[in-house]
Amino acid sequence: MSGHAAPDVVCLGESMVTFLPTRPGRLADVPSFTRAIGGAESNVACALAAAGHRTRWVGRVGTDGFGDHLLDTVAGYGVDVSAVRRDPHRPTGVYFRTDEDRATDAHEVVYYRAGSAASAMSPATVPYDTVAGARILHLTGITAALSADCLALLRELTAPRPGRPLVSFDVNHRPGLWRDGSAPEVLLELARRADLVFVGADEAKALWGLKGTGAVSRLIDGPETVVLKLGRGGAFVVDRRPEPHADIEDADGVAFLERPPRVDVVSAVGAGDAFAAGFLSATLRGLDMRTRLRHGHLMAAAALTVPGDLARPPRRTHADRLAALHAAAWGTLHLGPGWTGDDQEVRTP
């Protein structure tokens, strides 16, 4: 990868063209869609680049127009796409979704990704030097579900080796992609090989029947840091390195709970990726664990207050000011659409 400065973060995975409905309702009833992009890893790369970090997205797309659109759009956020390969024999994946919250039964999503260019990623098609030299390598469980070759690639990238970047792994369980029932075993294996893991409380319950921070951190016993996302309840981070002023301290490590600000939600899609980006941004800056959680919540709030997967993050000085609020002021924070702009207002009751 000569000619490019070493990135702060490399994000590897599939990105697709997504079609967003022009109005709420069932896919069968929506008359038209607008085009955007979607993909957990490229979402994180774009958010981090917009926040001022050097990022690289590693993926594989077709030689079709959708592949052109993906590369142009991701590069437009300032992400290095030089490691993305074009596949002349396989298409770029696309998907359609409804406007409803992903957590509700009303949400529909239809993927056209079987046999996509991204599913051909493997140790043979993705050289290790595309990720070498980065401070953080961000992966998700979605990639592991795309094909046996993709799983082999993730196993290689998470294997111990000298000089390995800090491996960040978002479990990102998508039940529809795991037809063979191997998700609990495979995702736990990959999570244990990472250094930093993001997992939702709902995912931990569905995959492993677990409830509670302690149970999750004991099962995912390899990483130094485990972030358990509680939705509107906030997020716990369990850190196995000593840090003062923890909320909980026991044999599992120290744990911090931070609740999110109140947000006027426009669309819930993309909030998890944005949270990971905010946490990783604060990690790159060496901030303390509680502040990392707050930056995750602020980046998620930016995504929650726009219709698509991606949002312009708050300026760093503004995010730092909010993240530094004392507990009472943080607890009354109320963010709505447009709050990240230059003329933004942060409302408190």
Side-chain angles (χ1 to χ4, degrees):
M1 304 308 298
S2 60
H4 294 271
D8 295 320
V9 183
V10 170
C11 301
L12 180 147
E14 180 173 34
S15 189
M16 294 174 289
V17 171
T18 177
F19 290 92
L20 308 176
T22 54
R23 72 181 192 194
R26 302 183 310 152
L27 286 178
D29 301 326
V30 175
S32 59
F33 298 80
T34 58
R35 185 183 64 176
I37 68 168
E41 301 86 359
S42 59
N43 285 349
V44 172
C46 290
L48 283 168
H53 300 284
R54 293 190 308 275
T55 63
R56 176 182 297 155
W57 170 50
V58 177
R60 198 172 179 88
V61 299
T63 54
D64 46 38
F66 288 145
D68 295 340
H69 176 63
L70 275 173
L71 287 175
D72 290 345
T73 304
V74 175
Y77 280 86
V79 177
D80 172 11
V81 298
S82 63
V84 178
R85 294 294 172 258
R86 307 297 297 265
D87 191 324
H89 305 296
R90 297 177 178 85
T92 304
V94 301
Y95 73 99
F96 296 77
R97 69 168 174 83
T98 54
D99 197 39
E100 283 74 22
D101 187 336
R102 180 178 282 156
T104 69
D105 292 337
H107 181 74
E108 297 175 73
V109 58
V110 179
Y111 292 104
Y112 296 92
R113 73 196 310 177
S116 69
S119 68
M121 289 189 296
S122 72
T125 62
V126 182
Y128 185 76
D129 67 2
T130 61
V131 306
R135 294 174 60 188
I136 296 175
L137 170 61
H138 182 69
L139 308 168
T140 82
I142 297 171
T143 306
L146 298 181
S147 68
D149 283 342
C150 284
L151 175 55
L153 175 61
L154 260 61
R155 283 175 168 150
E156 176 172 290
L157 294 175
T158 57
R161 68 170 73 204
R164 187 184 84 168
L166 183 150
V167 174
S168 165
F169 181 72
D170 192 333
V171 171
N172 238 325
H173 180 221
R174 297 287 184 267
L177 298 177
W178 295 92
R179 301 298 186 185
D180 62 359
S182 64
E185 176 184 352
V186 171
L187 293 175
L188 179 58
E189 172 200 347
L190 293 171
R192 283 174 166 169
R193 293 159 68 112
D195 302 298
L196 163 62
V197 170
F198 298 95
V199 60
D202 54 341
E203 294 174 315
K205 183 177 180 181
L207 285 166
W208 308 302
L210 298 179
K211 294 177 65 176
T213 308
V216 174
S217 65
R218 283 189 291 273
L219 183 69
I220 305 176
D221 55 5
E224 286 187 340
T225 308
V226 176
V227 179
L228 182 66
K229 298 177 291 183
L230 309 175
R232 293 181 180 178
F236 261 109
V237 58
V238 177
D239 187 27
R240 295 189 169 94
R241 296 163 299 179
E243 183 171 323
H245 312 302
D247 295 325
I248 301 172
E249 186 168 358
D250 58 25
D252 300 319
V254 295
F256 300 84
L257 169 66
E258 195 63 57
R259 300 188 185 279
R262 182 181 171 192
V263 177
D264 297 332
V265 176
V266 174
S267 173
V269 177
D273 302 329
F275 178 89
F279 191 94
L280 291 175
S281 175
T283 299
L284 288 165
R285 297 171 60 200
L287 304 181
D288 64 80
M289 288 294 171
R290 193 182 300 280
T291 306
R292 295 181 197 187
L293 289 174
R294 287 192 173 189
H295 276 280
H297 288 317
L298 290 169
M299 196 80 87
L304 288 167
T305 50
V306 299
D309 286 21
L310 292 167
R312 183 169 70 86
R315 287 168 295 153
R316 182 175 291 184
T317 54
H318 186 56
D320 285 344
R321 181 174 65 82
L322 295 181
L325 291 173
H326 60 77
W330 176 263
T332 61
L333 203 57
H334 184 181
L335 305 172
W339 74 272
T340 62
D342 292 339
D343 59 347
Q344 61 218 9
E345 289 188 6
V346 179
R347 302 191 304 279
T348 57

